[in-house]
């Protein structure tokens, strides 16, 4: 087992290509991490997730601590064995989910007390407990427990929240048990305020983490503000550590994030869209419930290697969604994750060949061009 | 493309082992046919169905005529291509489903008018139309359109219904377009009345079909009456034609059916049970929602080759069902179909080795023995 580190292999403008080395194997970056909230990437077997080219998946502290319970997962051999994913797993800290509970949670300086969305039972998360839970889950990458205010919010609110998150980051670091090949990432907060983001970066790099995440974006501020925040924040981060943009996003968001120096992404979009008949493709999105697909013998996307495209027509997918058949979400999730992974591979190759700008222009033109006529 | 025929390869008592030769490839019998009601075996890719060892699947005239429509399926290249199942497909005639509509349908001597359960639209099925639809679907095996009264019913009701079904069988046969390697099966009716069953067999064999089904059982009469009806009915059927017991059943029903000379079965049980946390195993059934599985690191069944058993613990399956994750039904359907296919293969081998009685005793003892302690 070797150390956890990110090796830069190429750069093109601010964009970087590299490899993340972990206790559970290497991951090529930039990378998109499918979300496995409750120990499963929804509607996919672990084999199917692997077949899309995914190298690392996400788990959720909040969901797993409530069901089946962190100690249960530990007793069952950890999250890797539990969900049949021997590769790297990143777990989020539960902070974002707990904040989303609204009236069901109570924040203090020490942590958060909240009621389970499942049965109303009382629970508490602190930086220490979140870190301990992620250890019990055997997360390859542990995230700091942070607070994330919804935008828009006053600068004072954002500043106070960021500073609380920085104190919690120090406590999370203190609670983290270093293990060979494992990592803990700090999370930059500060909304869309450049000075607050810079203060947050200083606090986190002062503590020192194996990687840095940009949190508190994609929460309603819009793509332009998200990108301008990245433009000023990412250059402040250490160049030799992996950078992770949390909860993002559309294919265009991923491309823009990579162009601004981000290496890792996660988002429920491709999986959630897969369950609601929305396909991501090289030529934009398709709603497979739309009647125009009812007799269409073409695959979702020519050349896509996923089973939805190599085995079936749009007409069949349309039928499955109209008939509420489970196979619809299964096949379309498979397709969407395959598209996201192929998108990231293409971007990575373009970086290594120093042609990211041209590649990005081609991608955006194709997305804007829409579905080619039959 | 060769003719449709069933080749007997071994017999043990009334039980037979053989091969069904069809336009879409051979099927070893006895065989269990997974139900693909609306052009998909629920929660399974076609690849996954194949991996369980299934050789032939079912489609439903009633469901497919309403959505996506028989002409649509024909235009898309037939049901085989539509659902990615190049192997043999048997379609039921719609009779059973239409009869189940109760107040939504109106029966006359010519056929049945009914309202769609999807949108209330009016439709009509006759022996001719049902046969035509099954042709449009490109069914390898077409079933006669029949009427099937719920039991218990008066002998007069059952007799009148059976005789109507026999007139419809003649009209179905007239409407059937013979094609090399394709078949049409007649359906024996007559409830649990031995004389009516015999009359039905005479009527059908007088018409002449490529195979014979026993219908109108497993509709509430109980296993003992079902078996005694088979005891007197099956010996009347031609020995050189395949025999299909419709809508049956539990593992014990299948075993008893084979012991009485049945070659083919279909039932929603293993797939429906897979969606409701019920596992079929060599030692009976398990309810994976039960709390006793929450920490159980064993597979559902040792030695089972399905991914639920080779990759995951009972504890993980329990978690998936508790969390309402789609992967629960996916994995458990896979397991149940794998168990059903392995059951049929084991029975087939026992027939070819002339030890079915001993094998049956072992199977029944293991089912009755229950889940071995950890």
């Amino acid at each position: 087992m070797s150390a956890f580190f990110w090796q830069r292999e190429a750069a093109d403008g601010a964009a970087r290509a590299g490899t993340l080395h972990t206790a559970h194997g290497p991951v090529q970056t930039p990378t998109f991490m499918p979300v496995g909230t409750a120990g499963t990437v929804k509607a996919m077997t672990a084999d199917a997730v692997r077949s899309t080219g995914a190298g690392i998946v996400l788990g959720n502290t909040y969901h797993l601590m409530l069901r089946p319970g962190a100690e249960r997962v530990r007793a069952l051999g950890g999250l890797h064995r539990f969900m049949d994913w021997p590769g790297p797993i990143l777990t989020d800290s539960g902070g974002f989910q707990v904040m989303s509970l609204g009236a069901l949670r109570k924040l203090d300086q020490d942590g958060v007390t909240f009621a389970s969305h499942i049965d109303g039972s009382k629970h508490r998360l602190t930086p220490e407990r979140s870190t301990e839970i992620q250890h019990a889950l055997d997360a390859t990458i542990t995230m700091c427990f942070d607070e994330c205010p919804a935008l828009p919010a006053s600068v004072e609110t954002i500043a106070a929240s960021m500073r609380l998150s920085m104190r919690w980051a120090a406590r999370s670091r203190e609670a983290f048990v270093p293990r060979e090949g494992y990592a803990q990432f700090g999370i930059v907060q500060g909304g869309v305020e450049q000075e607050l983001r810079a203060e947050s970066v200083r606090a986190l790099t002062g503590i020192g983490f194996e990687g840095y995440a940009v949190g508190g974006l994609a929460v309603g501020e819009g793509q332009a503000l998200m990108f301008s925040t990245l433009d000023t924040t990412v250059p402040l981060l250490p160049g030799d550590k992996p950078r992770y943009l949390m909860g993002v996003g559309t294919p265009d968001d991923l491309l823009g994030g990579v162009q601004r120096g981000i290496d890792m992404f996660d988002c429920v979009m491709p999986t959630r869209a897969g369950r609601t008949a929305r396909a991501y493709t090289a030529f934009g999105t398709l709603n497979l419930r739309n009647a125009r697909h009812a007799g269409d013998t073409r695959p979702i996307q020519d050349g896509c290697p996923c089973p939805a495209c190599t085995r079936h027509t749009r007409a069949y997918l349309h039928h499955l969604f109209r008939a509420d058949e489970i196979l619809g979400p299964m096949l379309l999730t498979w397709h969407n994750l395959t598209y996201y992974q192929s998108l990231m591979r293409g971007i990575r190759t373009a970086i290594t060949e120093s042609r990211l700008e041209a590649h990005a222009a081609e991608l955006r033109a194709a997305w804007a061009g829409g579905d080619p006529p039959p």
Side-chain angles (χ1 to χ4, degrees), chain A:
Chain A
M1 201 171 291
S2 58
F4 182 99
F5 67 102
W6 177 78
Q7 183 161 32
R8 181 202 301 250
E9 286 155 8
D12 187 357
R16 307 120 55 93
T19 299
L20 201 62
H21 296 272
T22 83
H24 301 103
V27 182
Q28 294 196 317
T29 65
T31 189
F32 176 79
M33 304 181 280
V35 177
T37 305
T40 157
V41 175
K42 288 184 194 301
M44 297 282 282
T45 65
D47 269 346
V49 176
R50 271 185 284 276
S51 80
T52 68
I56 172 170
V57 300
L58 233 76
N60 278 59
T61 290
Y62 169 78
H63 292 86
L64 291 167
M65 73 183 280
L66 296 181
R67 191 169 53 195
E71 296 312 318
R72 173 77 73 195
V73 174
R74 187 213 297 271
L76 292 167
L79 191 52
H80 303 268
R81 185 179 297 183
F82 189 56
M83 66 185 289
D84 185 30
W85 183 268
I89 299 176
L90 181 150
T91 47
D92 73 9
S93 67
F96 183 82
Q97 280 76 27
V98 167
M99 298 312 154
S100 311
L101 290 174
L104 292 173
R105 54 100 177 154
K106 191 167 176 307
L107 175 73
D108 58 58
Q109 292 296 304
D110 183 57
V112 186
T113 302
F114 63 94
S116 159
H117 74 283
I118 300 167
D119 60 7
S121 58
K122 277 280 172 56
H123 297 266
R124 185 163 172 80
L125 272 178
T126 60
E128 292 76 16
R129 179 62 187 145
S130 170
T131 305
E132 182 183 40
I133 288 171
Q134 295 177 77
H135 190 158
L137 297 174
D138 197 29
T140 316
I141 301 176
T142 292
M143 298 303 296
C144 284
F145 188 66
D146 63 344
E147 208 235 337
C148 173
L151 298 185
S154 72
V155 176
E156 292 69 29
T157 301
I158 293 167
S161 166
M162 180 272 286
R163 286 168 194 144
L164 177 64
S165 288
M166 296 307 102
R167 292 192 296 277
W168 285 3
R171 288 169 52 192
S172 294
R173 189 60 173 173
E174 192 69 26
F176 180 68
V177 179
R179 285 147 290 157
E180 193 79 358
Y182 287 71
Q184 186 182 42
F185 283 17
I187 305 174
V188 181
Q189 291 289 355
V192 295
E193 307 300 324
Q194 187 178 343
E195 281 313 305
L196 296 181
R197 288 279 173 184
E199 180 185 330
S200 180
V201 169
R202 285 193 300 275
L204 294 175
T205 52
I207 300 166
F209 290 94
E210 286 79 24
Y212 296 89
V214 181
L217 291 177
V219 290
E221 76 284 0
Q223 194 193 58
L225 264 179
M226 178 172 80
F227 281 173
S228 63
T229 304
L230 292 180
D231 284 332
T232 52
T233 303
V234 176
L236 307 176
L237 293 170
D240 60 344
K241 293 292 195 307
R243 301 157 174 172
Y244 160 31
L245 179 55
M246 302 183 78
V248 173
T250 65
D252 189 54
D253 290 338
L254 301 191
L255 176 58
V258 171
Q259 289 184 301
R260 288 162 178 83
I262 298 292
D263 308 302
M264 303 164 67
F265 303 85
D266 82 284
C267 193
V268 295
M269 271 187 192
T271 39
R272 180 172 292 166
R275 299 194 300 281
T276 57
R278 191 175 175 84
Y280 284 98
T281 78
F283 44 82
T285 60
L286 296 178
N287 181 349
L288 285 161
R289 279 189 172 272
N290 193 299
R292 74 186 171 91
H293 302 299
D296 196 332
T297 57
R298 294 178 297 167
I300 298 170
Q301 178 180 322
D302 273 325
C304 173
C306 87
C309 290
T310 56
R311 302 299 186 89
H312 294 293
T313 59
R314 293 184 186 187
Y316 184 64
L317 274 292
H318 171 82
H319 166 69
L320 293 177
F321 278 101
R322 286 293 180 107
D324 281 330
E325 286 286 350
I326 297 178
L327 187 57
M330 289 166 60
L331 287 174
L332 197 55
T333 301
W334 204 327
H335 168 80
N336 283 346
L337 287 180
T338 300
Y339 176 68
Y340 264 63
Q341 293 301 330
S342 77
L343 171 68
M344 297 313 278
R345 273 196 306 277
I347 290 173
R348 189 179 197 280
T349 301
I351 295 169
T352 61
E353 296 173 354
S354 297
R355 54 175 180 79
L356 180 59
E357 200 172 336
H359 184 63
E362 284 163 22
L363 286 173
R364 292 196 176 105
W367 290 329
D371 190 14

